[in-house]
Amino acid sequence: MKYRYSLLIIILLFTITVKAQETKKPNIIFILTDDQGYGDFSCFGNPYLKTPNMDKLKEESLFLSNFHVSAVCAPTRAALLTGRYNYRAGVTSVNKSRVNMYPDEITIAEYLKEAGYGTGLFGKWHLGYNYPMRANDQGFDEVVTWEEMQYGRLNPIMDVNGVSQHFYGHFLTDLIFDKAIDFVERKSKESEPFFAYIPTFLPHTHPDGKQVPDKYVKPFEKEEDLIQHTKEVYGMVTKVDENIGRLMKRISELGLDENTLVIFTSDNGPASHGPRRGGQNRYNNNYRGVKGEGFEGGIRVPLLMRWVGQLDNTQKVDEFTAHIDILPTIMDICNIPIKNTKKLDGISFKPLIDKENTDWNRTYFNQFITPSAKQGAKAFKERTWKKAVAYDGQYKLVDGNKLFDLAKDPYEKFDLAESKPEKVKELRQRYLNWLDEVIDVNNLPSYPNHIGNKAQPIVNLFYFEKVAEVNGWPVKVEQSGNYKITIEDIQHRVLPNHTKAIVWANGKQFVGYTNKKDKDLIIDDVKLPKGEYYLKVTFEGYKKQREPYDPTRMRYASITGDYGHRMVRVEKKTN
């Protein structure tokens, strides 16, 4: 009898254990590289690059070969994190406050956090720099990102959970992977799953300083048919590959292979140029177009999904998928319900992974223009077909007048617009219907930076986020009162000593004067009224100027000559 009871207990415990393993949600690691196209991998035929760790990841992963993103980075990030077209989220471009994502959007991190996941972001956020648009405000428990536009990538100043920290002796990409690996190590000891989002800053070109340590560029120096800028880009890809290798090795050492889903992709195709660097001549696997364009070379990137024992690494999914599908797919895989009342544009492609759906026919639309502050939503209507994309199954319409059959012509060499006018007409109308739906004229103006909120005592206003036409930043001052405004990194070679600086706030002016002895200009007792308006900084008698690029000098020595400073900090005074 005792033997029978013992046997029943063993069977029961075994059943419970198996059931627990079946229902345990996987850890998720999402790696998003920056400006890495299909041609920036040795496994896809690049004749110069060696990317052994990315190649190994591809060998171990389920491969989605027909995955699409936006033409530039911030719109892609908004779409993949929310499952919604970037226009719905308020993200229309890459600067001038057009990256500010509406804070009521619900991100993957928020869903996973609610489901018990520990969440961390290590790298490039690019969806708003201040409360309530920061990664910390959108579901991430731990955040390590870069204080934007510093000189080079060595010795970076990082924003670590809202606090600036200077990391001497570190290279930016190594640092974010160090922090991500540390997060994985700590979370692996806990009972709850984790989500680590690692959006690298590379191989996006930095405007000045070294792109990457010299030893990573040296192997490409002998390639006479590559320009120097491309050699540096390939050195950056090599550096990213090295760090991915470090991360994957640590995952295996920690015994996490079988309960960790690793996802890898890029935010757009390769750039064709770089600020003051003379362009690029990168291999692009024969795809037409580059970053910023609607052709496949600008918006088609590989998507890899590695989950040992759960996903078939010999499987290749050729059906059309897109960044908006990432959120619903992850929720589907993790069996987490989507409670969002906002409309999702993405569709879970888990049925494709499970080989359950043989009738997959997607429609998808995209556009990339940069409207001015004065134009607002009107710009999208006036330039309706500029960089417009419409997919319907195998057919793709570009710019409203070029039609391609991607099933037969993935490299977009043969325009079918004249031979298939009815298809062009159909896709044009469907695109117009989509544009009318996703652009909310009332909400399109950039979401403001909140000032005077306890969640962020010091607000950072970067010069490249100024809205050009009004030369300022959209703000929402929650508490009227006295504020200290610091204009950081005054460029004394373009701003003479005793230049008059004016802070404009809702019709009022506050004045200070530059001093060549001081790096920063502080204007105290700025009385900011409560409300929404533009805050701007101008210099009396100052004329914008541009100079030839000089890699030995800071970005704001060559490009910030337009502004005379790097950033503005706003802090509420307590007395």
Side-chain angles (χ1 to χ4, degrees):
M1 184 66 73
K2 289 182 179 180
Y3 172 77
R4 182 182 299 174
Y5 281 132
S6 297
L7 182 60
L8 287 172
I9 291 171
I10 291 171
I11 293 173
L12 180 60
L13 289 173
F14 177 77
T15 303
I16 293 173
T17 301
V18 171
K19 191 68 176 175
Q21 290 175 344
E22 290 176 351
T23 58
K24 181 176 173 60
K25 293 178 174 60
N27 305 312
I28 301 170
I29 296 176
F30 194 118
I31 305 167
L32 182 72
T33 55
D34 198 331
D35 289 5
Q36 185 174 13
Y38 246 107
D40 296 321
F41 303 81
S42 50
C43 60
F44 294 119
N46 189 296
Y48 309 101
L49 270 171
K50 289 183 175 60
T51 52
N53 296 300
M54 295 181 195
D55 294 356
K56 185 173 184 290
L57 180 59
K58 180 180 178 295
E59 291 174 2
E60 298 174 345
S61 299
L62 182 148
F63 171 39
L64 287 89
S65 65
N66 199 5
F67 182 73
H68 291 75
V69 292
S70 297
V72 290
C73 53
T76 287
R77 294 160 201 274
L80 69 84
L81 285 174
T82 65
R84 289 158 47 82
Y85 285 117
N86 56 285
Y87 286 168
R88 295 193 197 276
V91 178
T92 60
S93 190
V94 297
N95 56 16
K96 297 181 182 178
S97 296
R98 299 300 178 184
V99 304
N100 293 358
M101 187 168 74
Y102 300 146
D104 62 349
E105 293 294 322
I106 302 178
T107 68
I108 293 174
E110 288 174 291
Y111 276 117
L112 294 177
K113 183 175 180 177
E114 186 178 349
Y117 277 71
T119 58
L121 178 144
F122 311 93
K124 183 176 179 177
W125 172 240
H126 204 195
L127 293 174
Y129 296 96
N130 295 297
Y131 175 83
M133 301 169 289
R134 303 165 301 173
N136 304 79
D137 307 316
Q138 295 281 184
F140 288 97
D141 298 321
E142 298 186 29
V143 175
V144 180
T145 190
W146 196 28
E147 284 205 354
E148 292 283 349
M149 296 308 166
Q150 302 164 48
Y151 177 67
R153 289 159 164 158
L154 187 65
N155 305 319
I157 301 172
M158 307 297 290
D159 186 302
V160 181
N161 297 319
V163 179
S164 293
Q165 293 186 30
H166 207 148
F167 291 87
Y168 294 98
H170 292 268
F171 182 72
L172 176 62
T173 306
D174 295 334
L175 181 61
I176 63 172
F177 274 90
D178 286 345
K179 296 297 184 181
I181 290 171
D182 175 68
F183 175 82
V184 169
E185 290 174 342
R186 287 186 284 108
K187 293 300 178 181
S188 68
K189 300 173 184 177
E190 301 176 6
S191 58
E192 296 300 331
F194 62 82
F195 170 51
Y197 176 40
I198 313 173
T200 71
F201 291 92
L202 272 59
H204 190 296
T205 298
H206 188 53
D208 52 24
K210 287 187 182 297
Q211 303 296 305
V212 68
D214 290 339
K215 72 174 185 177
Y216 294 93
V217 181
K218 189 174 180 180
F220 305 101
E221 294 291 1
K222 64 181 181 296
E223 305 294 348
E224 295 181 358
D225 53 340
L226 295 179
I227 66 172
Q228 184 61 31
H229 189 187
T230 302
K231 295 173 185 179
E232 293 170 358
V233 170
Y234 286 166
M236 287 189 274
V237 174
T238 304
K239 167 57 81 172
V240 174
D241 184 79
E242 175 186 87
N243 277 287
I244 288 175
R246 285 204 300 132
L247 173 65
M248 298 308 297
K249 179 182 178 183
R250 194 67 187 120
I251 290 170
S252 295
E253 291 172 346
L254 293 168
L256 299 176
D257 286 324
E258 295 183 1
N259 67 332
T260 301
L261 169 62
V262 179
I263 303 173
F264 172 95
T265 192
S266 175
D267 62 353
N268 47 250
S272 63
H273 62 279
R276 316 296 174 94
R277 287 184 179 272
Q280 299 177 31
N281 59 335
R282 286 155 74 175
Y283 172 76
N284 202 16
N285 202 31
N286 297 317
Y287 284 114
R288 179 178 178 178
V290 291
K291 174 183 179 179
E293 298 179 346
F295 296 106
E296 294 293 275
I299 60 178
R300 183 170 178 164
V301 293
L303 177 67
L304 309 179
M305 300 179 71
R306 177 189 186 267
W307 188 2
V308 177
Q310 298 292 329
L311 297 180
D312 182 1
N313 67 309
T314 65
Q315 184 181 355
K316 181 165 166 264
V317 175
D318 293 323
E319 287 85 354
F320 181 97
T321 52
H323 50 17
I324 53 176
D325 301 331
I326 290 292
L327 183 146
T329 301
I330 288 178
M331 298 302 102
D332 200 0
I333 289 174
C334 296
N335 195 28
I336 298 173
I338 297 176
K339 302 175 184 178
N340 195 349
T341 58
K342 293 177 178 289
K343 179 180 178 179
L344 283 187
D345 297 301
I347 302 171
S348 170
F349 52 73
K350 186 174 182 292
L352 294 178
I353 296 173
D354 295 339
K355 303 178 183 178
E356 294 175 354
N357 192 325
T358 57
D359 186 26
W360 183 268
N361 187 35
R362 288 293 305 282
T363 57
Y364 171 80
F365 308 94
N366 212 327
Q367 182 193 37
F368 170 59
I369 64 172
T370 303
S372 70
K374 292 180 179 178
Q375 289 173 313
K378 192 169 103 175
F380 295 94
K381 305 294 183 176
E382 290 177 344
R383 293 182 278 173
T384 296
W385 302 109
K386 183 177 176 62
K387 299 183 180 179
V389 172
Y391 288 88
D392 178 30
Q394 70 194 73
Y395 290 104
K396 175 187 177 184
L397 184 70
V398 180
D399 298 336
N401 57 16
K402 304 176 189 67
L403 183 69
F404 303 100
D405 182 344
L406 295 182
K408 298 176 181 178
D409 177 27
Y411 303 113
E412 299 169 297
K413 294 180 179 179
F414 307 104
D415 185 355
L416 305 178
E418 289 189 11
S419 61
K420 293 184 177 294
E422 289 303 314
K423 192 64 182 177
V424 172
K425 182 179 178 180
E426 174 198 341
L427 285 178
R428 282 174 67 94
Q429 187 57 54
R430 294 174 76 172
Y431 171 82
L432 289 174
N433 294 341
W434 168 80
L435 198 61
D436 283 338
E437 180 190 349
V438 298
I439 293 182
D440 184 336
V441 176
N442 295 320
N443 287 333
L444 195 63
S446 300
Y447 193 86
N449 303 279
H450 286 221
I451 292 175
N453 189 288
K454 293 181 180 179
Q456 188 184 10
I458 301 176
V459 172
N460 303 317
L461 302 173
F462 294 102
Y463 75 85
F464 55 88
E465 289 302 315
K466 285 184 177 181
V467 179
E469 285 74 13
V470 295
N471 197 30
W473 299 271
V475 299
K476 180 178 181 179
V477 178
E478 296 187 10
Q479 300 181 59
S480 60
N482 290 342
Y483 288 79
K484 180 175 77 172
I485 292 186
T486 304
I487 306 171
E488 291 200 351
D489 292 348
I490 295 294
Q491 300 305 293
H492 292 292
R493 66 176 188 82
V494 296
L495 291 178
N497 193 35
H498 211 62
T499 297
K500 183 179 181 180
I502 307 171
V503 174
W504 303 74
N506 203 25
K508 296 183 179 180
Q509 299 181 29
F510 305 90
V511 175
Y513 294 89
T514 62
N515 186 327
K516 63 182 179 181
K517 296 180 181 179
D518 298 326
K519 181 180 178 183
D520 304 327
L521 168 60
I522 296 176
I523 303 178
D524 252 333
D525 296 324
V526 175
K527 294 176 175 57
L528 295 182
K530 184 178 180 179
E532 288 192 37
Y533 45 87
Y534 282 97
L535 180 71
K536 64 179 180 179
V537 173
T538 61
F539 298 94
E540 192 171 277
Y542 167 62
K543 184 179 179 180
K544 291 183 179 182
Q545 54 184 288
R546 292 228 175 201
E547 298 181 2
Y549 177 78
D550 181 351
T552 66
R553 296 160 70 184
M554 294 187 178
R555 173 187 176 99
Y556 24 93
S558 55
I559 301 213
T560 313
D562 276 2
Y563 303 100
H565 67 286
R566 181 171 87 91
M567 66 184 295
V568 172
R569 293 188 188 268
V570 184
E571 181 178 5
K572 192 172 190 309
K573 300 187 71 173
T574 56
N575 53 2

